[in-house]
Amino acid sequence: REWIILWRIISTMETQVSNGPTANSLPNGPVVSTNGSTDDSKTNLIVNYLPQNMTQEEFKSLFGSIGEIESCKLVRDKITGGFLFLNFSGILTEIKWESTKRNPLFHSQSLGYGFVNYVDPNDADKAINTLNGLKLQTKTIKVSYARPSSASIRDANLYVSGLPKTMSQKEMEQLFSQYGRIITSRILVDQVTGISRGVGFIRFDKRNEAEEAIKGLNGQKPLGAAEPITVKFANNPSQKTGQALLTQLYQTAARRYTGPLHHQTQRFSSPSLLPRFSPITIDSMTSLAGVNLTGPTGAGWCIFVYNLSPEADESVLWQLFGPFGAVTNVKVIRDFTTNKCKGFGFVTMTNYDEAAMAIASLNGYRLGDRVLQVSFKTSKQHKA
DNA sequence: TATGATT
């Protein structure tokens, strides 16, 4: 057997509902009017840009200060129970998920938004006037009426890449607004320079509007742009894959165990002597219980790895680079349609000397029948 | 197949 099961993960990652009888119903408790129909449109609010660490209790307390709440919920990611897999060398390689239960290993993360349904429409109005724009830590919260829940507004979020770096959010909205009503938009920027990464998101009011925008804009060049843009449906952030969770687990462990890791890690100049070591061992795993998973930190040295096989996955990068020190992120670049590796990937390491050692050791390393080329990532260059 | 990017 190649794999052994290390831990049975038991988890519950349901959306929390603080009160009301509607814990397992729609996002918001229905208000039954005198004629028997439900209409939340004047009482039900959506709150966006909440601080990551805000709890359900704090959320309820803040909005409860305005008036009586019929129900409220902070939306969190849904993680089901599953298994962690280690191979015999002690490397965590896979997480598989199954049905839901309690989870001592992962805390589900707030998705940064929630719903509040007031008893009195006047309180909903007051909450918008009082709390919209409120600054909480680094966030400025947005409070607005929630659109009625329906299938037609689901999956209307688009991921856009290849945007000209000069394009503003407003210009992007102008480009997309011909296809429907835009609910939200965003352009991602480099954390250090503040320059656009050429990647953005557009949420339409309706799914069919988003579909039309894909048909009309995917592969098209915006006016004056040199390159065509890619437009596709965005991933749903609440549906984490096992690989994404594995990545998060490694990142959590790498950050938490940076100290001990340095002592445990041996450095080998010869790739053939690579120890099978990863940040997560049985010992360190036991104290991972209850950690809050957070996203990648961004800082570090980015390494380009070329000549990976089409079957390569993230675990091979963890296994190759983990022995050299703190690895915060790995990424295998895959073809969108085939999901096969396009032959290259990226690894982010925290410390320069460890990254340099990894490059010196792994460049030219024979992996199966391929010889890897490993270097610091450079900006995109065309062949002379 | 030689430098991505998923709030």
Side-chain angles (χ1 to χ4, degrees), chain A residues 267-305:
Chain A
R267 279 136 181 117
F268 290 75
S269 56
S270 164
S272 62
L273 296 177
L274 280 179
R276 291 282 171 180
F277 176 83
S278 82
I280 296 184
T281 62
I282 292 171
D283 285 335
S284 66
M285 187 78 80
T286 56
S287 47
L288 267 174
V291 293
N292 229 323
L293 296 174
T294 57
T297 54
W301 298 90
C302 192
I303 298 167
F304 176 63
V305 185

Side-chain angles (χ1 to χ4, degrees), chain A residues 198-313:
Chain A
V199 173
F201 293 88
I202 296 270
R203 181 181 295 280
F204 279 102
D205 184 34
K206 295 292 191 309
R207 161 123 189 153
N208 65 310
E209 296 170 342
E211 283 169 357
E212 290 306 310
I214 292 175
K215 285 181 198 162
L217 292 175
N218 184 40
Q220 299 293 312
K221 286 183 194 171
L223 205 59
E227 299 298 326
I229 61 173
T230 299
V231 184
K232 54 193 186 188
F233 284 109
N235 293 341
N236 186 338
S238 72
Q239 293 166 347
K240 288 237 156 71
T241 64
Q243 190 64 61
L245 285 162
L246 181 56
T247 297
Q248 284 194 320
L249 240 186
Y250 270 106
Q251 287 168 347
T252 304
R255 245 171 288 142
R256 187 172 275 226
Y257 297 104
T258 293
L261 253 180
H262 284 253
H263 300 294
Q264 293 168 21
T265 306
Q266 299 170 2
R267 279 136 181 117
F268 290 75
S269 56
S270 164
S272 62
L273 296 177
L274 280 179
R276 291 282 171 180
F277 176 83
S278 82
I280 296 184
T281 62
I282 292 171
D283 285 335
S284 66
M285 187 78 80
T286 56
S287 47
L288 267 174
V291 293
N292 229 323
L293 296 174
T294 57
T297 54
W301 298 90
C302 192
I303 298 167
F304 176 63
V305 185
Y306 180 70
N307 213 13
L308 296 169
S309 87
E311 317 307 322
D313 68 355

Side-chain angles (χ1 to χ4, degrees), chain A residues 72-328:
Chain A
C72 74
K73 69 167 55 164
L74 180 65
V75 179
R76 322 187 106 220
D77 60 5
K78 215 186 292 175
I79 300 175
T80 59
F83 301 93
L84 299 185
F85 290 77
L86 268 81
N87 63 19
F88 285 119
S89 306
I91 296 175
L92 178 62
T93 50
E94 195 177 348
I95 298 176
K96 284 185 176 167
W97 300 98
E98 47 157 43
S99 60
T100 58
K101 253 284 188 179
R102 311 201 88 244
N103 184 344
L105 195 58
F106 296 101
H107 284 173
S108 77
Q109 265 190 298
S110 165
L111 293 180
Y113 70 97
F115 294 93
V116 183
N117 198 7
Y118 285 98
V119 174
D120 185 341
N122 292 319
D123 288 333
D125 183 69
K126 190 174 155 194
I128 292 175
N129 290 322
T130 316
L131 298 177
N132 184 42
L134 179 70
K135 288 189 168 54
L136 292 175
Q137 297 162 42
T138 61
K139 305 280 191 173
T140 303
I141 70 170
K142 178 184 171 188
V143 185
S144 55
Y145 288 110
R147 293 172 295 153
S149 175
S150 89
S152 66
I153 69 170
R154 286 222 304 261
D155 303 316
N157 198 24
L158 296 181
Y159 172 81
V160 188
S161 60
L163 291 165
K165 300 281 197 281
T166 53
M167 183 178 270
S168 67
Q169 181 182 347
K170 199 169 185 178
E171 288 167 333
M172 182 177 71
E173 284 201 9
Q174 280 167 5
L175 181 63
F176 283 82
S177 61
Q178 56 185 313
Y179 297 97
R181 179 182 166 217
I182 294 169
I183 301 301
T184 57
S185 73
R186 167 150 208 201
I187 287 180
L188 302 187
V189 297
D190 183 284
Q191 278 193 324
V192 179
T193 66
I195 294 171
S196 166
R197 291 161 70 193
V199 173
F201 293 88
I202 296 270
R203 181 181 295 280
F204 279 102
D205 184 34
K206 295 292 191 309
R207 161 123 189 153
N208 65 310
E209 296 170 342
E211 283 169 357
E212 290 306 310
I214 292 175
K215 285 181 198 162
L217 292 175
N218 184 40
Q220 299 293 312
K221 286 183 194 171
L223 205 59
E227 299 298 326
I229 61 173
T230 299
V231 184
K232 54 193 186 188
F233 284 109
N235 293 341
N236 186 338
S238 72
Q239 293 166 347
K240 288 237 156 71
T241 64
Q243 190 64 61
L245 285 162
L246 181 56
T247 297
Q248 284 194 320
L249 240 186
Y250 270 106
Q251 287 168 347
T252 304
R255 245 171 288 142
R256 187 172 275 226
Y257 297 104
T258 293
L261 253 180
H262 284 253
H263 300 294
Q264 293 168 21
T265 306
Q266 299 170 2
R267 279 136 181 117
F268 290 75
S269 56
S270 164
S272 62
L273 296 177
L274 280 179
R276 291 282 171 180
F277 176 83
S278 82
I280 296 184
T281 62
I282 292 171
D283 285 335
S284 66
M285 187 78 80
T286 56
S287 47
L288 267 174
V291 293
N292 229 323
L293 296 174
T294 57
T297 54
W301 298 90
C302 192
I303 298 167
F304 176 63
V305 185
Y306 180 70
N307 213 13
L308 296 169
S309 87
E311 317 307 322
D313 68 355
E314 272 72 6
S315 67
V316 75
L317 292 179
W318 287 113
Q319 291 173 27
L320 283 167
F321 288 82
F324 293 93
V327 175
T328 58

